[in-house]
Structure formats: structure tokens, C-alpha cells
Amino acid sequence: MAHTCNIFAILLCALAVNGQTSAKTSGPRNLIFMISDGFGVASEALARSYTQQTTGYPSNWGSVLDSVLVGLTRTRSNDTLVTDSAAGATAFSCAQKSFNGGIGISADGRPCGTVLEAAKRKGYVTGLVTTARISHATPAAFAAHAADRNMEDLIAQQMLGIGIGLNSSANGRGSVDLMFGGGQCYFLPKNNKAGCRSDDVDLWQTAQSQGFTALNNRQQFDSLAFNAPLPVLALFAPSHMAYEIDRNPAEQPSLSEMTAKALSLLHSASANVPADHPGFMVMIEGARIDMAGHDNDPATHLHDILEYWKAINVVRNFISLNPSTLLVSTSDHETGGLTLGVEPEYAWYPSVLKPVQRSAEVICKELNRMTGRAQLDRHIARVVMPQYLGITDSSATEVSTVSEAIQSGFKACKRAVGHVISARARIGWTTSGHTGADVGLYAYGSGSEEIRGSMDNTQVGGFLASYLGVDLDSTTRELANLSTFQKDVEKKRQHKHEHR
Ligand SMILES: *[C@@H]1O[C@H](CO)[C@@H](O)[C@H](O)[C@H]1NC(C)=O
Ligand SMILES: *[C@@H]1O[C@H](CO)[C@@H](O)[C@H](O)[C@H]1NC(C)=O
Ligand SMILES: *[C@@H]1O[C@H](CO)[C@@H](O)[C@H](O)[C@H]1NC(C)=O
Ligand SMILES: [Zn+2]
């Protein structure tokens, strides 16, 4: 954290030299909107109790998020009480309810202007940061308009402004100035072996010809100066970035590291535009909290939450130096129906999660490569249980549950591994999908006192728009003729994207 503070201190000094100030009522204002995808209030309690117990903090200790709780967000979509991330993010980005699967479109299927697009049109510098593919539902809903979240060929294209028709930036490149995340494969043509598009479009090339600095590895990220010019497109994995529990720091930056660099770049870019610059708007997503919830994998869920807390700390440090900045953090929905305590006991055991070394996803990929029941059982009993999960007294039943689940497929294997840990920790799950429960709403900084109570997800979106002083309707009108369809999407749907 000291590292981060130094970076911002340098920026603050640079600003002071330029004679710029950040008054609350006039001048630039920044919005940092954070989405902890699939993070319910039980997820917060899980991470809090874990941290309190494993570090020996007092029993009334609260997290950085607990200290900025302002209310609850209601999550339903237009067509169901249990939203997906596409409709959930659209409620925030457009302040309108969509149907599940809809990206930046209203319930009647028409494109809706987003807070990010409207902010860009007003002169804000804009960014999207995620640990998922950048074309995945949540970031997509801020800068693309598609009838279905699986239309990622179309979405990636729109995120560079192609086919959008909005003339947002002076050089015609679309609405997003900074993109950090995973998902390079949707920017590469199908003949590229790292590509996953169904066409020959090379968006990596397009981005560079639009002026983007395009990066795809840790070394390039580290050498990117903290005041490097925008636009920047940095995609660190072909698909999603690694779970925090599995992440190799030599290969990929963490969410908090991406957050620190993004804030610094956005801040320096917005400070460099002429005097009346409005500031910046960024959406930062802890995306894989949700995916670990789908797998009912508690330690993986935990470590992505702890990393999200770190990112929140980075943001709070930024705000202490740049007070005309608002942080709003909430979730699109809860995932897994997580509960703490499984009958008959009145207890759950956080310390069970402590020795877990790998995600169920990585464990099951390894198990998938083995053949024969005997080899599997031996590997699970001798390696997976003691080394990866910290279980030194595994039962024959625990071993065979995992071993048998593999025959039913990858998803069953991941849940079986998650359930072995969860049963010992007395953690319960009701589903491998989402639930309709409310989620926490958190805010800090300039204007945070104006967001409070039980808010519909669309009201959160409306609040973001009013904080930025932008008009979503006029942006919506400009998008009227945009095509939101990608022809081959039904075909793709059958074999892709199990995480919704
Ligand atoms: C869903 O959208 C339709 C069409 O726009 C609208 O009439 C209806 O009230 C919406 N329902 C909800 C729950 O948002
Ligand atoms: C969009 O911007 C480009 C480049 O500045 C300009 O040539 C073009 O006419 C603009 N298009 C519209 C519809 O305003
Ligand atoms: C959309 O298309 C219609 C019919 O071609 C046209 O009249 C209208 O001006 C277009 N709207 C925009 C915003 O481009
Ligand atoms: Zn999900």
C-alpha cells in the first residue's frame, strides 16, 4: 500500500505545481464505480470472519467495506426476480431494467445510452477494469449494446467504437479510453491460434491504428508509466484472468494493482485536458467473485473478495488525496445462495479455508488429465486433499465424491471439490447459479451522503448519471439505429460460457 500512496503523492504534487485544485462544488469530479460481481452480504460476512479469526483482530472488527456501508441494492431484472450479470450491469449503466442476457439495451430490445458513453460525450476520461474478459457481460454493458451477452465478437468490436455510431471521442475511436482485464481472444482473428472470434477481424490491430497502446503481459504493464498517455488497452489473458488464489504475480497484475495504475492514468489524462475538464469515470469489477460462487468454491470466493477489499483501499487512498471523487461499490446480484452455518450446529469454521492453495477450477483441470479410477483416487488422496486443500485426514467418501464427480463433468468436479471444503467449514450453498437476494451498497467520498437506503439497481444507475451531470436520454437517441445482433450467436451458445 505504501507503494500506491507514493504514486498518488507524486500525482498530487504534480497537480499542486500546476495550480489545480479539486473543489467539491466546481471543477473536476471523478466517479469510481465498483462492482463486486456475485457478492452478497453473506460473502462479506465470510471474508470478515475469516480475516478477524485468522489475524486475531478483535471480534467486533469490520472490513474496509463495512466502514462505508450505506444501504442495500435490489437486484431483479425486467423478466425475472433472479437477474444475470448482463441485465444487472445494464440497470447500473443505463438506469433501466433489461431482460437477462441483454447488454446495454432496454427491455424492449432498443440500445440505451450508458453512463460511461454519456460521460465520454461530456468530456470525461473513461475506463473499464475487470478480472473477466473485457467483453464479458458486466464491462460490456457500459460500452456495448447487444441482444445477447454471448455476442462477444460484436461486443468487442463495439467497445472500440466500431458500428456504434456515437462520435464520442475526437478521433472516432469509441467511448472507452482505458481497458484493463482479460479476453484478448475476442480481439484476435480466428486464424490466430490465440483467437476465439468466428471471423477474420483483427481488433488488436484496429485498436493500435486507433492510437491505443496495446499490452498483453505483466512486464509491459509494469513498464507503463503512471502518467502514460491514453488510450490504453491491456488484456492479460486470452479469456478470464486467473483467480486471485491461483494468480502468478509474474504473469498477471492483481485487481488492486490494475486499480492503482488505472486511477493514476485516468487522473493524469484528465488533468492534462484543458481547464474546464470534468474529470474521469471508471467502472472496476471484481468479476470472479461470482464465478467462484457458481462453483460453490469458498476459498476461491474468499481470496477474490480479499483482493476486492485491497482495490477498495487503493480507491480510498486515492480519494484522500483527490477529495472531489466519489466511490460507489455494489453488486449486480448474489451468487450461490451462500450461507454461514449448516445444521445441526450453530457454528461455521473460517480456519478451514486457510490452508487451501488452489481453486477447484485449477484442481479439476489437473484431474481431467488423468485416466483411470485408481490413478484419480490416489492423486486426490495423496496430492489434492493434503497439498491443495490442507486436508490431511480425508475420508474415503470425500475422495470418492470428487473422483466420481469427474465422470459427470468439469462443473460437477468443481462443485464436489468446493463441497468437500464447505462441509468441513459448515458453509452452505443453495444453488450453482444466482439468487434474488439484496446485496450491499457502499459509498465513500464526495457526494456519498446522497446515496442511502434500499435502492433499486436502476436507482443506483440514475444516481451515477446525476452525480456526473450527464443526460442518458440524448445518448440513447443517438444510438437509435445501432444493430444489436450477431448472426452466429446461437451456435456459440451451445458450447461456451457456462458462467452467467
Ligand atoms: C419490463 O419491460 C416492459 C416493457 O418495457 C414493461 O412494460 C414492464 O413494466 C417491465 N417490468 C419490470 C418488472 O421492469
Ligand atoms: C465523427 O468524427 C469524425 C472525426 O472527427 C468526423 O469525420 C465525422 O464526421 C463525425 N461523424 C459524425 C456523425 O458526427
Ligand atoms: C436513424 O435512421 C432513420 C431512418 O433511416 C433516420 O431518419 C434517423 O435520422 C436515424 N437516426 C440517427 C440518430 O442516426
Ligand atoms: Zn454469475
Side-chain angles (χ1 to χ4, degrees), residues 36-351:
S36 41
D37 199 310
F39 173 80
V41 293
S43 307
E44 172 64 8
L46 177 147
R48 180 200 306 127
S49 297
Y50 175 86
T51 304
Q52 185 266 319
Q53 289 206 357
T54 56
T55 53
Y57 290 151
S59 59
N60 65 354
W61 179 82
S63 81
V64 65
L65 272 181
D66 289 324
S67 66
V68 297
L69 179 80
V70 296
L72 290 171
T73 303
R74 308 179 193 185
T75 63
R76 74 157 297 162
S77 66
N78 178 276
D79 61 333
T80 161
L81 288 169
V82 181
T83 190
D84 81 325
S85 294
T90 300
F92 300 138
S93 67
C94 290
Q96 285 189 42
K97 286 200 194 284
S98 189
F99 47 86
N100 284 14
I103 297 288
I105 60 177
S106 35
D108 63 7
R110 289 176 218 236
C112 49
T114 73
V115 285
L116 185 144
E117 290 167 330
K120 184 74 231 173
R121 289 167 83 252
K122 218 180 167 189
Y124 286 90
V125 177
T126 58
L128 293 173
V129 177
T130 180
T131 47
R133 293 190 295 273
I134 197 80
S135 54
H136 205 242
T138 305
F142 286 80
H145 308 273
D148 191 280
R149 56 184 290 160
N150 290 325
M151 298 174 172
E152 288 190 56
D153 289 355
L154 175 77
I155 289 168
Q157 212 156 302
Q158 289 186 350
M159 291 177 96
L160 294 177
I162 300 160
I164 286 260
L166 273 183
N167 226 0
S168 327
S169 68
N171 53 13
R173 71 173 137 77
S175 296
V176 202
D177 299 314
L178 176 148
M179 291 185 246
F180 284 179
Q184 194 194 11
C185 77
Y186 280 100
F187 289 72
L188 297 172
K190 72 165 183 239
N191 64 8
N192 185 313
K193 69 177 193 309
C196 58
R197 295 184 66 84
S198 55
D199 58 24
D200 299 317
V201 174
D202 186 343
L203 293 179
W204 200 247
Q205 202 53 55
T206 305
Q208 286 165 287
S209 65
Q210 288 179 338
F212 276 88
T213 302
L215 325 173
N216 64 1
N217 66 55
R218 172 85 212 211
Q219 288 69 31
Q220 292 170 322
F221 175 80
D222 289 342
S223 11
L224 188 67
F226 276 88
N227 60 355
L230 299 179
V232 175
L233 173 67
L235 303 179
F236 302 101
S239 181
H240 304 309
M241 293 177 71
Y243 281 121
E244 185 56 25
I245 198 173
D246 302 322
R247 185 176 64 87
N248 177 350
E251 285 175 3
Q252 294 181 6
S254 65
L255 181 66
S256 59
E257 289 169 330
M258 291 197 290
T259 298
K261 194 151 248 180
L263 295 183
S264 170
L265 294 182
L266 292 162
H267 183 64
S268 94
S270 62
N272 286 335
V273 275
D276 59 346
H277 72 92
F280 68 79
M281 184 260 151
V282 63
M283 191 288 295
I284 300 170
E285 183 197 20
R288 305 206 70 197
I289 297 170
D290 168 67
M291 298 176 192
H294 282 282
D295 291 345
N296 295 180
D297 180 355
T300 304
H301 190 62
L302 166 73
H303 286 285
D304 269 44
I305 294 166
L306 298 179
E307 183 56 34
Y308 188 81
W309 285 358
K310 280 193 194 169
I312 294 272
N313 267 316
V314 168
V315 170
R316 288 188 57 161
N317 289 340
F318 179 86
I319 293 177
S320 69
L321 296 169
N322 301 279
S324 63
T325 304
L326 171 65
L327 162 70
V328 174
S329 171
T330 190
S331 308
D332 43 0
H333 52 75
E334 185 275 352
T335 302
L338 171 67
T339 56
L340 307 175
V342 175
E343 62 184 347
E345 290 172 79
Y346 277 24
W348 82 276
Y349 304 104
S351 60

Side-chain angles (χ1 to χ4, degrees), residues 165 476-482:
T476 298
R477 281 194 293 277
E478 280 193 37
L479 293 167
N481 293 340
L482 171 63

Side-chain angles (χ1 to χ4, degrees), residues 393-404:
D393 58 346
S394 64
S395 68
T397 317
E398 285 172 319
V399 171
S400 65
T401 315
V402 174
S403 193
E404 279 159 23

Side-chain angles (χ1 to χ4, degrees), residues 472-491:
L472 298 179
D473 291 342
S474 64
T475 309
T476 298
R477 281 194 293 277
E478 280 193 37
L479 293 167
N481 293 340
L482 171 63
S483 166
T484 59
F485 284 93
Q486 180 187 317
K487 285 196 274 324
D488 58 346
V489 81
E490 284 306 319
K491 181 185 69 187

